[in-house]
Amino acid sequence: MLIPHGRHAEGGGVQEDPRLACMREEWFAGRHLLDIGCNEGLITLALATRFGCTSATGVDIDRQLVGKAASVTKWVHLNWGDDGITRLFARCWTELQPGGFLVLEPQPWRSYKAAVAKQRGGPEAGSWDLAALHLRPEGFVTLLQQ
């Protein structure tokens, strides 16, 4: 089976990416995921979230694409809501080694608004509802400290 490659965020919603349909949970559940050529890390994150990977590491030669992964909390929050961001943080807490650090740069709320405005009419636009999000990025530190 041939699977299209090089599909970036602009190419369509990650949840509909045909590569995900070819993956099996038993390949990933409870395992460490290494995605070489991860681009922005969207598929990496989708695999880790969908199949319960123990950890996920993405590597790519294009620093600009990997740099876009800095907005991963925003992406999780927009796609999976407050529950998704809470689960992400809980997973980070579970995976963090004693004495380890979580370095987090929450994206400002205005960047959420900009992302939604940019997606209007796009494949993910219907699922992004800012009114449904009660947690705000400026409250993430407090959430993590609870």
Side-chain angles (χ1 to χ4, degrees):
M1 170 188 301
L2 292 175
I3 302 171
H5 59 81
R7 188 163 174 168
H8 300 250
E10 302 84 31
V14 172
Q15 293 305 310
E16 295 81 31
D17 191 297
R19 294 174 289 183
L20 292 175
C22 298
M23 306 297 170
R24 296 185 182 169
E25 184 174 359
E26 60 266 21
W27 298 347
F28 299 95
R31 297 176 187 243
H32 301 281
L33 169 62
L34 173 61
D35 183 355
I36 298 173
C38 68
N39 293 317
E40 295 174 15
L42 300 178
I43 295 295
T44 311
L45 184 60
L47 287 169
T49 303
R50 182 179 284 189
F51 297 125
C53 296
T54 300
S55 67
T57 302
V59 179
D60 199 284
I61 194 167
D62 188 334
R63 289 185 178 164
Q64 285 185 314
L65 288 175
V66 175
K68 288 183 180 182
S71 64
V72 72
T73 56
K74 177 174 60 182
W75 185 80
V76 168
H77 204 187
L78 285 170
N79 283 283
W80 286 289
D82 290 343
D83 185 52
I85 198 70
T86 303
R87 283 190 323 235
L88 174 66
F89 292 155
R91 185 64 179 257
C92 289
W93 175 258
T94 300
E95 297 300 324
L96 197 60
Q97 298 294 317
F101 294 91
L102 171 63
V103 177
L104 176 68
E105 181 182 359
Q107 302 299 301
W109 187 248
R110 69 181 178 278
S111 75
Y112 280 62
K113 291 178 180 180
V116 169
K118 183 178 178 182
Q119 281 296 327
R120 286 224 163 78
E124 296 170 332
S127 63
W128 291 359
D129 181 12
L130 291 179
L133 301 178
H134 301 288
L135 297 174
R136 296 290 189 264
E138 42 289 343
F140 288 174
V141 171
T142 302
L143 177 65
L144 286 163
Q145 291 174 336
Q146 294 176 351

